[in-house]
Amino acid sequence: YNLTADALSRAFTLSQIHIPQEINKIEVIINETGYQLINIVYQKDSLGSYSLADNKGRLDFLDARAIENPTHFTRFSIPHAAFDVNLYNKFQLFDPQNPVKYQIYLKTAVSISLPKEWNILGIYATNIYNDFDMNFVDKNSALPHVRSDINEYLVQGESGIDSLYLEKRYKYRDLYYRAYFGILETMYSGLGIELLYQPSNKSRLALGATINKVRKRGFKRNFDLLDYKTTTGFLSLFYASPFYNYDFALHLGRYLAKDRGATIEMRRTFDNGFVVGAFATFTNVSAAVFGEGSFDKGLYFKIPFNAFGPNTKSSYATTIRSVQRDGGQRIDDFSGRLWHDLRNVRYDSLRNHKERMMPK
C-alpha cells in the first residue's frame, strides 16, 4: 500500500473478522526501511463488538517497542536476496539544438539481507535506446567538473553499474543512522554516514547530519575511479508543516565542488502519493564563476505507480534542472534522505489519517 493508513485499515479489518472474539486489542509495530518507528494500537469497544458498520473502537499511538515474550514468531532466512527488474527512462531537457533527449533502459536491482542489520544493495542499468551526446559537456567550467560532465557517463557508460554498496541501518530511541560503503551513484563511489534525530511523538522538527568521503567514478560506470576526490558534509533542519502536508528542509554544509553554502527545500505530499517540490542552493561561488543559471535550483516530482494500477509502493521520482552546473551539488540520495524516506510513517502523517485507519 502506498499509504500506510490503508495498510493498517486492511490489517485491522481482517483481524476483526478472523481473530477470536475474546481478543479485544490489536497492536501493530510499524517498520519502514529497516527501522522500527511507532506502534499503532486498535482497542475494540467494551462490548467487544465485531460490527464493522458500527465500530466503536479507538486508536492509540505509542512509541516503538518490541513484543515481550512472543508466543509465535517467524524465522526469516538470512542471507536473503530479492531481485527486481523494471523498464526505466532518463530525460535531458533544454538543449537548444535538441530540447528533449532520453534513454530507455532495463534496471535490474538486487537487495541482499545479511545478519546484524547489514544489507547489500545494487542496481545495474542495461541500455535499450538513447540519443544522448556530448553537447552538454561544459569543458570551460571554472569549478571542478563534479556534475557538468554527466554526459560522459551517459554516452560512454550507457550500460553500467548505477550503484553497489554495503549498508547498515539502525535506530536507538529517537536517533536513526545509516552507514554505507561502495558505489553510491552514477558518478561517485565512497563511504559515509547519515544521522537523523526525530522524536517519535508530536514534534514536527527533526535534525540531521551527513558526511561523505567520495571519489569520482570512471566514465564507463564500471569499477574504475578517477583522480578527483572530496569530502562533503551537511547539517540539516527539517520541519513538517501542519498545513496541506508541506515539508521544509534546510541543509548547511560543504558541496562536491568544495564550495560552502545552504540548500532550501520545500515539498508537498498528497494523500494519493504524488509529491511535488522545489529547491534552491546558494554557495560562496559567485554567479560569474557558477556560470549560466547563477545558482542551482530545480523541481522535484514523484509519481506513484498505484495511481495507474494495483496497490504498490513503487514510484517514479525525478529532479528537473534548467542547467546542470558544478556549484551546489550533493551526492544523490546520500545527503539528507532519511527524513523523506520516513515521511509516510511519521507521527504527524499517521495522525492526519487516523479515521482512515479504522476497520471498514
Side-chain angles (χ1 to χ4, degrees):
Y1 287 87
N2 187 62
L3 189 67
T4 303
D6 292 338
L8 287 165
S9 175
R10 182 70 168 169
F12 292 139
T13 299
L14 292 173
S15 63
Q16 285 273 54
I17 295 171
H18 294 291
I19 68 172
Q21 186 171 353
E22 62 269 19
I23 297 176
N24 57 18
K25 186 177 78 168
I26 303 150
E27 184 169 351
V28 176
I29 303 171
I30 302 295
N31 289 274
E32 187 80 359
T33 63
Y35 299 107
Q36 190 177 110
L37 295 156
I38 192 170
N39 288 19
I40 311 294
V41 180
Y42 173 66
Q43 181 79 48
K44 291 192 301 186
D45 68 330
S46 59
L47 298 178
S49 172
Y50 276 88
S51 173
L52 300 183
D54 187 27
N55 192 306
K56 297 180 180 179
R58 75 171 191 269
L59 285 173
D60 294 313
F61 297 80
L62 305 177
D63 290 342
R65 62 184 186 185
I67 299 174
E68 295 182 5
N69 301 317
T71 57
H72 299 80
F73 61 92
T74 302
R75 288 189 180 275
F76 294 98
S77 60
I78 298 293
H80 173 76
F83 295 89
D84 182 46
V85 180
N86 279 296
L87 204 61
Y88 272 75
N89 60 67
K90 293 177 183 175
F91 286 97
Q92 192 175 80
L93 308 175
F94 309 117
D95 184 339
Q97 298 179 4
N98 187 355
V100 179
K101 298 178 184 178
Y102 66 95
Q103 178 188 29
I104 298 174
Y105 66 98
L106 199 67
K107 186 172 88 170
T108 304
V110 61
S111 174
I112 303 175
S113 300
L114 302 173
K116 305 295 184 180
E117 309 299 329
W118 286 94
N119 296 281
I120 297 174
L121 302 152
I123 297 174
Y124 188 88
T126 305
N127 179 67
I128 297 175
Y129 175 82
N130 83 71
D131 61 354
F132 295 131
D133 54 42
M134 304 302 294
N135 289 340
F136 257 37
V137 177
D138 183 6
K139 298 295 185 181
N140 298 317
S141 175
L143 295 169
H145 292 186
V146 296
R147 290 297 185 197
S148 58
D149 53 3
I150 179 63
N151 277 47
E152 296 272 7
Y153 294 89
L154 298 177
V155 175
Q156 295 190 44
E158 60 180 13
S159 294
I161 302 171
D162 262 4
S163 62
L164 180 62
Y165 58 92
L166 181 68
E167 179 186 69
K168 180 179 177 64
R169 294 186 176 222
Y170 191 72
K171 174 178 182 283
Y172 177 73
R173 296 183 179 176
D174 293 330
L175 182 66
Y176 305 76
Y177 82 80
R178 60 191 290 238
Y180 39 84
F181 166 79
I183 299 174
L184 303 182
E185 47 120 299
T186 299
M187 294 182 65
Y188 290 92
S189 296
L191 70 160
I193 186 169
E194 179 179 357
L195 303 173
L196 177 70
Y197 175 71
Q198 177 177 284
S200 57
N201 277 324
K202 299 183 180 178
S203 175
R204 293 184 176 274
L205 290 171
L207 298 173
T210 308
I211 186 167
N212 295 309
K213 187 175 181 62
V214 297
R215 186 168 174 178
K216 198 172 179 182
R217 296 179 61 193
F219 297 132
K220 293 185 178 180
R221 291 203 292 166
N222 47 26
F223 294 99
D224 293 342
L225 298 172
L226 302 180
D227 291 336
Y228 185 78
K229 53 186 176 182
T230 187
T231 299
T232 70
F234 298 93
L235 294 176
S236 303
L237 175 65
F238 303 97
Y239 176 63
S241 164
F243 304 106
Y244 303 104
N245 290 334
Y246 278 103
D247 298 318
F248 301 89
L250 173 65
H251 309 281
L252 303 171
R254 187 177 192 255
Y255 296 83
L256 282 170
K258 303 178 183 178
D259 47 336
R260 291 176 170 81
T263 297
I264 303 169
E265 290 183 85
M266 179 183 70
R267 296 188 186 185
R268 183 181 180 186
T269 303
F270 296 86
D271 289 347
N272 57 12
F274 281 84
V275 181
V276 295
F279 69 91
T281 298
F282 304 91
T283 73
N284 57 350
V285 173
S286 68
V289 173
F290 183 91
E292 182 183 353
S294 301
F295 62 94
D296 191 46
K297 65 270 193 186
L299 302 174
Y300 174 83
F301 297 93
K302 180 180 178 182
I303 303 172
F305 291 157
N306 70 299
F308 311 102
N311 286 319
T312 176
K313 297 186 74 173
S314 298
S315 61
Y316 175 77
T318 187
T319 299
I320 297 177
R321 289 178 169 89
S322 58
V323 178
Q324 181 71 71
R325 291 294 184 184
D326 294 311
Q329 299 299 313
R330 298 184 290 164
I331 297 295
D332 292 342
D333 294 329
F334 293 91
S335 301
R337 168 183 163 181
L338 271 182
W339 192 76
H340 294 294
D341 282 353
L342 302 177
R343 192 215 178 280
N344 195 33
V345 288
R346 284 202 320 249
Y347 175 80
D348 61 290
S349 178
L350 293 171
R351 290 283 301 185
N352 290 342
H353 298 105
K354 190 172 182 178
E355 293 302 318
R356 192 163 173 167
M357 296 180 200
M358 297 296 286
K360 302 295 189 289

